[in-house]
Amino acid sequence: MHGLMDPLHPPHLYVLFHKYAYHAQQFEGTMFARGLKRKSAEDGEDVEGGLAGTQATPSYSLQRQSLLDMSLVKLQLCHMLVEPNLCRSVLIANTVRQIQEEMTQDGTWRVVAPQAAGRAPLDRLVSTEILCRSVREQEGEHPAPDGGGRMPGLVPGLSAVPSAQALRSPQSSLWEVDSSRENRGGFQKSLDQIFETLESKTPGSVEELFSDVDSSYYDLDAVLTGMVGSTQPGHGSGLQAFTSAATPPPGSSCRSDLGELDHAVEILVET
Amino acid sequence: MVCSSILLFLYLVEIHLLSKEFSTVWCRPQPRAWSLSPGIESHIGLPAWSLLLPLPMSLPFSLFLLPKEDQDLSPIRNRPILQHTYLSCFSHYSARKLATDIISTVEFNHSGELLATGDKGGRVVIFQQEQENKIQSHSRGEYNVYSTFQSHEPEFDYLKSLEIEEKINKIRWLPQKNAAQFLLSTNDKTIKLWKISERDKRPEGYNLKEEDGRYRDPTTVTTLRVPVFRPMDLMVEASPRRIFANAHTYHINSISINSDYETYLSADDLRINLWHLEITDRSFNIVDIKPANMEELTEVITAAEFHPNSCNTFVYSSSKGTIRLCDMRASALCDRHSKLFEEPEDPSNRSFFSEIISSISDVKFSHSGRYMMTRDYLSVKIWDLNMENRPVETYQVHEYLRSKLCSLYENDCIFDKFECCWNGSDSVVMTGSYNNFFRMFDRNTKRDITLEASRENNKPRTVLKPRKVCASGKRKKDEISVDSLDFNKKILHTAWHPKENIIAVATTNNLYIFQDKVN
C-alpha cells in the first residue's frame, strides 16, 4: 500500500491550493464541460511533451488531475482542522489512492527506474511538471534558463520555498511508488533541509546549514553538479559570502548554487 | 342521512361544550413542563378544541359521512399510508425553532409518547404527546415541550490539545420500567445515562423548617404535625445517573441498546465497545478494525446496531459499503463476522466517487428483526438477513445527483450522513434529502413520495403537497430543477412514531412533526 496518504499527516500543498482554485472554475455548471476546450488547446504541446505514453484523452486526465488536486487540498484542510473527521479523511485518501493507481497504470505517474546519478532525479522532477503545468500556463510563459533572472513559472506572489515544498510532496508521492524509496527519501530530505535552512536562517549561519547535512547531501551534490555545468558564471558572486565561514566541502561549485535560493529552485524546476 | 347529520351536529355541540370546560387544562398557551429554559418558543399547535370546527370544514368527520363501502375503517396504524387516498396527506402539525443550534439527532421513545432531540450545543429537548381525550380514534395529541436539559458540555482534551465537541450525536431511549424515563445520550467521547422524572407533589408542613426553607428555632415548636404531600405544578427533572467516559479514542457515531435491556454498545470510527448499563468504569471491546499501521487505514465503522430480538447479534456498517453481522457468542472479540452483506458494484456506474457514495451512513433493523435497512449517499437498501449477496429492495433517493457528484465532492455535500427509519409496521421507510425534502417509500405498493418540510406550510392541518425534482430537460410546472436545489437545507435526521403515523423531521434548526391526514 502506498504510504503517502496517511490521512492524519497529509503533505503541505500551498501551490496545489492555488491550482485547485483555478481548476475549481472549471466545475461550474456541468461537470468538466466548460473551459475544457480552452485548456486543451493550451495543453497541446505540453501534453505531448509531458504525458508521453498515456492513452487517456487530455480531458479525462485533466479531470483526474483536478480531482487529485482537489482531494489533496481537502486532506490538507482536514489536517488544519482541530480534529479531523476520520471517515472523511479516509474516503478522500482512498480516492487519491485510486487515482494514483490508475495513473500508475496509465504510465502518467512516472514510476521511476533505478537511479542513475544525475539523470534520474531530473526525470522525476520533470514529471512534477505535470502538476505545475497548469499554473505555469496561467502565467503564460515557460521558465527560461537565464542567468540571474527571477525564478519564473511558479506562481508569483508565493515565495520560492513553499513552492519547493509543494514540489516536494508530489515528488514524495512519486517516490512512494518507487522501489528504491530510501534513496529518494534521502534526496528529498536533503532538499528539504536546504530550503528550510535557507529560508529561516541568515547567510551568516551557514555553518549550521552544512553541519546538518549528512552523507545524503552528496546526492544533491551529484544532481547539482550535473546542472552546474550549464549554469552561468554569475553565481560565483554568491559564493563569496559563504567561503569565509564554511569549511570547504566537496564539490565547491555546487555551493555556489546554494548561495542563491532562487537559482537553485529554478534549476531544479526547469528542464 | 339527515338523521345522522343531525346526530353528528349534536355530537359536535356536546363535544364543544365539554371541551370548553376543559379548556383551562388542555389549552394552555405555555408549555406544560416547568423546567423550561428561556428562549425556546413553544410550538404553534392548535388548542385541542379547535379541532372541532363546524361542518363542512372539519375534515376528521368526513369519515362518517361517506358511504361505508369506500372507506377503510381498519385501525390507522395498519393502513398503508401511501394508499391512493393518502398519498398527499401529511399535514403540518407543529414546529419549533431553535435560535442557534442545529438539531443533530431525533428519537421517539418506545411508546411514542416522548420525542427527544439533541442539538449541536449539547442540549436535549424532550417533547411529550398530549394525552388527548380518546373519543375519536383518529385524533392524536400534539407534542409540547416536556423537558430541556444540558446533556454535554464542551470539553478540552489536554493531552491532544483538542476540543471535544458537545454536539449530541445520538440519543437512545431505554424501555420504561417505572415512572421515570431513561435515555442514553452521547457526544464524540462520552455517553451519559439520564433519568427524567416528574414531580407533581411536594411535602409541606415540616416541623423544623418554614415553608420558605428557613430553619425554625426548636424551642419555638409547641406542637408537632406530620408533613403531608400537596400537589404542585408539574416539574420535570433530568439527572445524570451514569457517565460512561474514556473508552473511545475516536468519535462515537452510534449507540444501541441491547434487547436484554442491560447492555448496550457504542461504536466509534474503529472500535465497538460493549457496556453494562450499571457499570461505568469498564467496557469490553468487541470489534477493533484499527490496523497496526495507521497509514494502511482504508475503512472505518460508520454505524452499528443491536438486533431487536437476538441479544447476541449486532451489525456494523463501514465506509466501503459493507455490513457485517456478528455473533457475540462466537468469540470475545468479534473481528470475524458471521455474515458479510455486500452488493457487487455496478460496473456501468463506476467512477472515482463510487466508494464515497457507497459509504453507509446509517443502518437500522426493522422492528420484526428480519430485515435491515442501510442508507448510502444516493439510495436506501433493504437487506434480508438471510441473504448476503445483495439487498432485496433498493430505492433511489435522489438519483438526479449522480451526475453532480463532482460538485458535491467539491462542496463536501457528498460526505453528508443521512439517516433513515422504518415505520411501526415496517411497511414504509423514510429518509431525508436536500432542499428540505424528505422521501418515503412504501415497500408494499412500491410507491414513493417526496415532501418538503418548510415554514411555508405553516398553518397547522395544511396538507403537504408532493414535490418533484426534474432531473433534466423540460421542467414541468411545480417541478424543481436540480440546479435550484438548496444544498444547505438538508434533512439528515428523521424519526417515525413506533405505533402511529406521526413523523418527526429535523431540518437544520427546525423540528417538524407531521401526521397523516385522516380521510
Side-chain angles (χ1 to χ4, degrees), chain B residues 22-37 40-45 48 96 113-115 125-132 141-148 176 179 181 196-201 232-237:
Chain B
F22 288 100
S23 63
T24 51
V25 173
W26 287 0
C27 308
R28 249 181 289 193
Q30 298 305 319
R32 188 165 161 253
W34 191 68
S35 63
L36 183 61
S37 57
I40 295 182
E41 295 168 22
S42 83
H43 70 292
I44 311 173
R96 158 189 161 257
E113 184 201 353
L114 297 175
L115 173 66
V125 182
I126 302 178
F127 297 84
Q128 186 188 43
Q129 191 175 25
E130 284 289 355
Q131 293 310 307
E132 289 285 327
E142 299 159 352
Y143 281 83
N144 300 327
V145 177
Y146 177 67
S147 171
T148 308
Q176 191 174 12
Q181 301 278 353
I196 296 112
S197 47
E198 291 183 4
R199 194 191 292 191
D200 59 358
K201 301 182 194 39
M232 59 180 260
D233 280 344
L234 181 72
M235 187 166 75
V236 180
E237 302 172 306

Side-chain angles (χ1 to χ4, degrees), chain A residues 1-3 5-8 20 24 27 29 31-32 60 64 67 70-71 74 82-84 86-88 90-92 94-95 97-99 102, chain B residues 160 162-163 189 250-251 269-270 294-300 302 319-320 350-353 355-356 359 403 406-407 409-412 415 417:
Chain A
M1 245 333 178
H2 307 304
M5 286 301 133
D6 172 6
L8 304 176
Y20 160 55
F27 298 156
M31 197 169 77
F32 299 120
Y60 175 76
R64 195 172 52 186
L67 190 58
M70 206 192 328
S71 307
K74 279 185 187 299
V82 174
E83 187 148 25
L86 189 65
C87 183
R88 182 170 173 267
V90 166
L91 287 173
I92 298 173
N94 289 350
T95 309
R97 263 196 212 103
Q98 199 184 335
I99 298 175
E102 201 178 288
Chain B
K160 291 195 220 168
L162 292 172
E163 205 179 84
K189 300 285 188 185
Y250 302 96
H251 292 179
D269 291 321
L270 297 176
M294 275 299 272
E295 288 191 352
E296 289 163 12
L297 180 66
T298 56
E299 193 174 6
V300 298
T302 52
S319 58
K320 286 200 169 169
R350 179 147 179 72
S351 74
F352 285 117
F353 307 108
E355 186 183 315
I356 299 180
S359 170
S403 54
C406 195
S407 314
Y409 180 71
E410 192 187 346
N411 64 14
D412 273 358
F415 300 108
K417 292 191 185 303

